[in-house]
Amino acid sequence: MTQRARIIGVGRHLPARVMTNDDLARIVDTSNDWIVERTGIRERRIASETETTSMLAAEAARRALASAGVDASEVDLIVTGTCTPDGMFPAVSTLVQHAIGAGDAMTFDVNAACTGFLSALSTARQFIATGQAKKALVIGAETMSRIMNWEDRTTCVLFGDGAGAVLLEGVPDEDGASDAFVLHSDGSQSGLLYATGPCGPGEALAREAHLVMNGAAVFKHAVTSMSEACLEVIRDAGLTPADIDLVVPHQANRRIITAMADRLGLSGERVYMNLERYGNTSSATIPIALAEATAEGRLKAGDHVLLCAFGGGLTWGAMTFEWAGIRNPEAAVADSVVAAEVAAE
Ligand code: UT7
């Protein structure tokens, strides 16, 4: 029988260093008022010199496992969405496999920029559906600070570093659960948002890599494409917007999220936002938000959850599914020995 993937664990990990809007105003010609009014962002986290994307990813993965009460040895697939890996290879997922002790699990990364987590989650779901994997970690992890042009005020105020993870488990697909996903892309628009150069740690590399964006054009595309993708999956799942209990959108800009939610007719409390604390962590925004929504008690078993994202490529997509419930929700955001050690470095 076909298997259906359900989320049984979720976790997130952020670097300890906080960079506020006022900190940024000392680097580029900007202000706290402008950033808050135009984006909703108040602060973001920045990785230390020694923190890598895979380190953030591994810590988020540990918390996802702890929240589910599952040992790393049970994981047979790890897929990470990232556009800022530690290096060209090995894959971040492979480094995570070693760091957490996930046997000889299948591991690979996907890159769809800010849509990376949705692409990774959709991919892992297919492995679960066919029975090829029984328990899969899906991670979104980024060190966007390493590809910022810190002289460009139109981009460097928007992004931050962090990681989130979910643990999927396959269950027999016999209860007619309403879930669906769509992923789309338009490479003809690649010039609107792209990054050049390598992105690993180290000053020399960081100077070579930078992100370039036409903010206004991406803004318009984001609102239209995310709302259309949301309506597509809601329809495919046999639902209406009124059935959605919580939307967890990609956290790029408060105005984008509000405009999209308005188009869907969804009111404030059904739309999750935490971008004021972390900014845009690219493929990590959705799993970080899911972990925090879980810990805050915003999700209960049986809720219809709607995820949506857009990003460089351009890429965009949406997914809806029923929330299964997490055994230890507080573990999703708990501090750990490893996190404390990293922060102390
Ligand atoms: O995950 C996908 C990532 N992509 C995104 O999140 C991008 C989506 N786009 C956006 O979020 C918005 O377009 C921005 C936040 C990037 C820009 O907001 P906007 O309301 O579209 O502003 P704008 O680009 O039209 O610029 C308005 C003014 C300009 O000045 P002039 O030409 O009117 O004199 C900019 O130079 O604001 C200026 N400006 C700034 N001022 C202070 C741009 N960035 C800043 C800044 N601080 N950081």
Side-chain angles (χ1 to χ4, degrees), residues 6-336:
R6 58 177 196 159
I7 293 176
I8 58 165
V10 59
R12 64 104 167 95
H13 178 60
L14 283 310
R17 183 181 165 204
V18 175
M19 184 183 271
T20 65
N21 291 346
D22 285 337
D23 293 335
L24 275 163
R26 284 188 276 275
I27 304 172
V28 286
D29 180 14
T30 190
S31 67
N32 178 55
D33 287 351
W34 190 94
I35 301 172
V36 172
E37 187 192 321
R38 307 310 292 167
T39 73
I41 300 165
R42 291 180 184 275
E43 58 186 45
R44 69 287 293 142
R45 301 298 182 93
I46 303 293
S48 73
E49 274 295 304
T50 54
E51 268 173 319
T52 61
T53 297
S54 67
M55 289 163 71
L56 301 177
E59 190 52 34
R62 286 188 189 97
R63 292 179 193 187
L65 289 166
S67 75
V70 168
D71 192 81
S73 60
E74 292 182 46
V75 172
D76 44 19
L77 170 68
I78 304 174
V79 190
T80 303
T82 185
C83 58
T84 51
D86 298 22
M88 296 295 285
F89 62 84
V92 167
S93 301
T94 312
L95 298 169
V96 170
Q97 172 268 326
H98 175 62
I100 67 172
D104 61 353
M106 296 177 269
T107 55
F108 54 90
D109 296 349
V110 300
N111 179 352
C114 298
T115 315
F117 179 74
L118 276 189
S119 304
L121 187 52
S122 308
T123 305
R125 279 172 48 129
Q126 310 303 311
F127 276 78
I128 298 259
T130 58
Q132 195 74 29
K134 292 191 169 50
K135 287 199 173 63
L137 271 169
V138 182
I139 303 169
E142 306 282 6
T143 44
M144 297 301 286
S145 62
R146 300 224 160 92
I147 59 167
M148 282 304 111
N149 174 355
W150 291 102
E151 293 174 358
D152 178 7
R153 68 176 183 173
T154 68
T155 53
C156 74
V157 303
L158 303 173
F159 293 90
D161 301 337
V166 300
L167 180 67
L168 298 181
E169 176 187 63
V171 292
D173 191 11
E174 59 195 7
D175 53 3
S178 43
D179 53 13
F181 75 85
V182 295
L183 293 169
H184 296 296
S185 70
D186 180 1
S188 74
Q189 303 297 311
S190 59
L192 295 180
L193 174 53
Y194 61 91
T196 55
C199 55
E203 267 182 57
L205 289 179
R207 273 198 297 272
E208 286 172 38
H210 63 280
L211 177 146
V212 180
M213 177 170 67
N214 177 335
V218 174
F219 188 108
K220 281 190 206 118
H221 188 278
V223 175
T224 310
S225 62
M226 277 202 298
S227 21
E228 282 173 5
C230 286
L231 290 171
E232 219 178 321
V233 290
I234 288 171
R235 189 191 56 229
D236 288 354
L239 303 172
T240 70
D243 296 315
I244 300 300
D245 296 291
L246 192 68
V247 190
V248 181
H250 173 48
Q251 309 280 312
N253 185 318
R254 179 182 293 278
R255 290 155 56 221
I256 291 175
I257 294 174
T258 308
M260 186 229 20
D262 284 350
R263 286 189 180 205
L264 298 177
L266 294 174
S267 59
E269 74 275 9
R270 286 198 288 159
V271 183
Y272 192 83
M273 276 195 255
N274 63 359
L275 58 78
E276 68 171 31
R277 281 175 286 138
Y278 307 130
N280 181 349
T281 56
S282 189
S283 65
T285 63
I286 290 177
I288 291 173
L290 272 178
E292 299 204 337
T294 301
E296 291 164 17
R298 296 277 296 268
L299 286 163
K300 58 182 191 310
D303 277 358
H304 290 290
V305 183
L306 175 64
L307 312 180
C308 55
F310 71 95
L314 297 174
T315 55
W316 65 99
M319 181 181 290
T320 186
F321 56 88
E322 279 179 37
W323 192 248
I326 305 292
R327 190 183 291 179
N328 310 312
E330 65 290 347
V333 296
D335 284 334
S336 77

